[in-house]
Amino acid sequence: MKPPAFDFLRPDTQEEVLETLHRAGSDARIIAGGQSLVPMLNMRLARPGVLIDIMPLHALRAIREERGEVIVGAGVRQAEFEAWPQLAEKLPLLSQAIGWIGHVQTRARGTVCGSIAHADPSAELPLSLIALGGSVRLASRRRRRTVPAAEFFLGMMSTAIAEGEMIEAVAFPVAGRGTGHAFREIGRRHGDFAIVACAAVSDGQTTRLAVAGVDDHPRRFDLPQEDGGALDDALNDIAWSLNARDDLHASARYRRELVRRLGRETVMEARSCRS
Amino acid sequence: MPQLTARNRHRVAFRLNGRQVEALAENRMLLSDLLRHELGATGTHVGCEHGVCGACTIQVDGAPARACLILAAQIDGADVRTVEALAPQPGRLSVLQAAFREKHGLQCGFCTPGILMTLDAFLTTRPDASEAEIREHLSGHLCRCTGYATIVAAALAAVEELRKEQKENA
Ligand SMILES: Cc1cc2nc3c(=O)[nH]c(=O)nc-3n(C[C@@H](O)[C@H](O)[C@H](O)COP(=O)(O)OP(=O)(O)OC[C@H]3O[C@@H](n4cnc5c(N)ncnc54)[C@H](O)[C@@H]3O)c2cc1C
Ligand code: FES
Ligand code: FES
């Protein structure tokens, strides 16, 4: 269980990163917190020719608010985001969700953007980004572009990041007045990847429900302001639309049941906690 | 900065347990292996090498982290503490270590260094830690011997003792 050999770049500037990504193409790989990539290297599931460590780049290490969005740079660790004093006020959904990512010991290293780039189907941060309708800021040597979350996650660990591109930052819209947020997750043990996780945002008219852990990427649905049997029917349709599969951790049937039950609790909580 | 080539070993310099150290490491060398094989700091244990068991947990710049998920090259310039740093002097245990001994917080001891480093980091910043918070921090560690109850008891005893010490010093 040791990584294969690779060249290693500790850049002084972001230009160096983009230049190397351009030159080496798919042979280059960014390393941020290393909490997903190093296990993959150790198990030889990844064999990059060159690893580019972006953590020395101080410009990427900022959290800032800009035109109604919280912009989290690629060098911001999950623990730093968790400790950001304005998190509960600006991003109540994230302040509920972030403690579910792995453990204290992995959040101390893992980055926010690294989790978005890794795009695990049950990961909490991609789910939250989808639920809030955030976006991902990409950069390559030639251009910069912003991709909405709904177009970013394409499948199991597959995203809209093109060859030569890196994530510079992700943007989460600041919670609006009068919106309610809720996050629920079921895993085998606390800190394990979710079997099913749900995030909901309610503005009084519609409730948006996002679900992770079932389909191969997090999915989002808009629910009308209905209750009782109508809500159950809507949740049942969602549960059946997610291509649930049996695996080592849970059966497809159990996952659908979790979508119905956890989904309902999450929706009701988001509606009831509107500020 | 030039690209460090895969075939050669490169210099890494960092603080280890309060002392500046230097070593030569291939890019692909894990910090856990650098500590154990190059620097002889074998107190840090290695179980799973994919971040799950917690045996290799050390402190990097004050925060607990998995040594098996850090490349040696990533640690250049950092401040690293391992279990070897805990005892205040030879033949004496820290408050936390003494509590583990007193409460039977270890049996085979394989998981212990990692757990101590997590709890040491946590109790240093939060001497008023609750049992729930202690359990939350322990969720990042696997112990196959104790069933965890004695570990929690040891951590709570350490909290108590640290509080007493704080009062006496105040
Ligand atoms: C024991 C354990 C439990 C965990 N539990 C959870 C969990 O419950 N939920 C969860 O969501 N995650 C979990 N994780 C993974 C999480 O800790 C990682 O932090 C996260 O998935 C990746 O972030 P990172 O910064 O560590 O990225 P890295 O591991 O450094 O990189 C991951 C991938 O993203 C790419 N990448 C990173 N940054 C960029 C960038 N800026 N631009 C382009 N590509 C980039 C890398 O090339 C690589 O392919 C767990 C990990 C461990 C070890
Ligand atoms: S050896 Fe590092 S977590 Fe298991
Ligand atoms: S004491 Fe043996 S694994 Fe914990």
Side-chain angles (χ1 to χ4, degrees):
Chain A
M1 293 267 296
K2 308 292 176 194
F6 46 79
D7 287 354
F8 190 79
L9 180 72
R10 275 198 106 189
D12 295 317
T13 63
Q14 197 183 338
E15 285 62 49
E16 269 178 85
V17 176
L18 298 177
E19 191 55 47
T20 308
L21 283 175
H22 173 78
R23 185 167 38 77
S26 61
D27 203 33
R29 194 92 174 232
I30 284 175
I31 182 164
Q35 302 301 288
S36 294
L37 185 55
V38 180
M40 288 167 69
L41 292 171
N42 287 354
M43 292 185 257
R44 308 250 168 147
L45 296 172
R47 294 173 171 275
V50 51
L51 268 194
I52 308 168
D53 182 5
I54 58 168
M55 299 311 278
L57 299 176
H58 285 280
L60 297 177
R61 304 201 64 160
I63 305 172
R64 57 179 207 281
E65 198 184 335
E66 202 179 273
R67 274 179 246 125
E69 291 181 314
V70 175
I71 319 283
V72 184
V76 175
R77 299 194 195 271
Q78 291 150 16
E80 291 163 353
F81 194 39
E82 193 176 5
W84 186 51
Q86 300 179 71
L87 191 68
E89 182 203 334
K90 306 281 183 193
L91 298 171
L93 181 66
L94 272 303
S95 80
Q96 293 180 50
I98 199 157
W100 287 90
I101 308 170
H103 309 280
V104 171
Q105 300 86 352
T106 63
R107 294 197 295 277
R109 304 287 303 173
T111 61
V112 173
C113 291
S115 170
I116 301 293
H118 189 61
D120 188 286
S122 51
E124 291 81 3
L125 289 169
L127 172 70
S128 304
L129 194 71
I130 283 273
L132 293 173
S135 59
V136 182
R137 300 188 172 185
L138 299 170
S140 68
R141 201 183 63 152
R142 273 177 302 129
R143 59 169 182 170
R144 293 196 144 74
R145 62 184 183 124
T146 298
V147 180
E151 294 161 29
F152 181 80
F153 300 104
L154 303 177
M156 168 84 82
M157 296 178 185
S158 153
T159 68
I161 303 175
E163 206 173 290
E165 274 184 327
M166 67 175 284
I167 299 183
E168 241 179 343
V170 289
F172 297 96
V174 172
R177 269 180 183 285
T179 53
H181 300 81
F183 180 90
R184 296 280 174 111
E185 172 168 329
I186 298 283
R188 290 297 290 257
R189 291 165 311 176
H190 190 83
D192 281 11
F193 274 99
I195 293 174
V196 171
C198 292
V201 184
S202 175
D203 65 3
Q205 255 101 58
T206 46
T207 305
R208 179 182 290 162
L209 175 69
V211 183
V214 191
D215 210 345
D216 64 3
H217 64 289
R219 298 268 308 273
R220 179 185 122 180
F221 306 88
D222 284 338
L223 293 164
Q225 202 59 345
E226 52 198 14
D227 218 330
L231 178 58
D232 287 335
D233 289 346
L235 287 166
N236 188 47
D237 289 345
I238 291 174
W240 281 100
S241 74
L242 288 171
N243 311 311
R245 275 166 304 228
D246 298 327
D247 66 17
L248 271 178
H249 306 288
S251 65
R253 188 168 165 214
Y254 179 56
R255 285 203 161 88
R256 282 191 296 271
E257 187 60 12
L258 283 179
V259 172
R260 287 185 284 256
R261 299 232 189 153
L262 210 60
R264 182 171 239 285
E265 286 175 19
T266 316
V267 166
M268 296 316 278
E269 188 187 324
R271 285 180 183 170
S272 70
C273 70
R274 285 177 44 227
S275 55
Chain B
M1 205 218 192
Q3 197 159 307
L4 306 179
T5 49
R7 294 280 152 238
N8 300 325
R9 303 209 297 164
H10 306 278
R11 202 182 72 100
V12 257
F14 60 104
R15 278 182 87 73
L16 176 61
N17 299 331
R19 291 216 324 267
Q20 192 65 27
V21 294
E22 257 189 48
L24 288 173
E26 278 182 70
N27 292 336
R28 68 194 197 98
M29 179 171 268
L30 302 173
L31 177 57
S32 42
D33 289 336
L34 181 77
L35 291 170
R36 293 178 55 85
H37 303 317
E38 302 297 316
L39 298 168
T42 53
T44 299
H45 291 172
V46 172
C48 66
E49 285 185 334
H50 61 277
V52 175
C53 75
C56 68
T57 303
I58 54 161
Q59 293 169 10
V60 180
D61 298 327
R66 306 290 202 228
C68 73
L69 298 188
I70 299 176
L71 300 170
Q74 287 178 296
I75 214 69
D76 198 55
D79 186 16
V80 176
R81 283 181 88 223
T82 62
V83 71
E84 283 90 350
L86 292 186
Q89 62 192 63
R92 270 193 61 192
L93 296 178
S94 72
V95 168
L96 183 64
Q97 287 171 310
F100 266 68
R101 176 152 131 181
E102 165 79 24
K103 299 287 178 193
H104 304 280
L106 64 151
Q107 287 176 26
C108 79
F110 196 81
C111 67
T112 316
I115 292 181
L116 289 174
M117 294 319 283
T118 287
L119 289 176
D120 176 79
F122 182 46
L123 299 185
T124 304
T125 50
R126 288 287 315 283
D128 56 342
S130 70
E131 176 173 343
E133 289 171 315
I134 286 168
R135 286 184 180 273
E136 159 95 29
H137 279 70
L138 289 175
S139 78
H141 293 274
L142 294 178
C143 174
R144 299 289 79 167
C145 303
T146 63
Y148 304 99
T150 54
I151 296 177
V152 175
L156 287 170
V159 166
E160 186 80 2
E161 185 62 31
L162 289 169
R163 223 179 267 155
K164 247 193 266 164
E165 267 185 15
Q166 239 177 11
K167 245 193 228 148
E168 277 162 22
N169 293 341

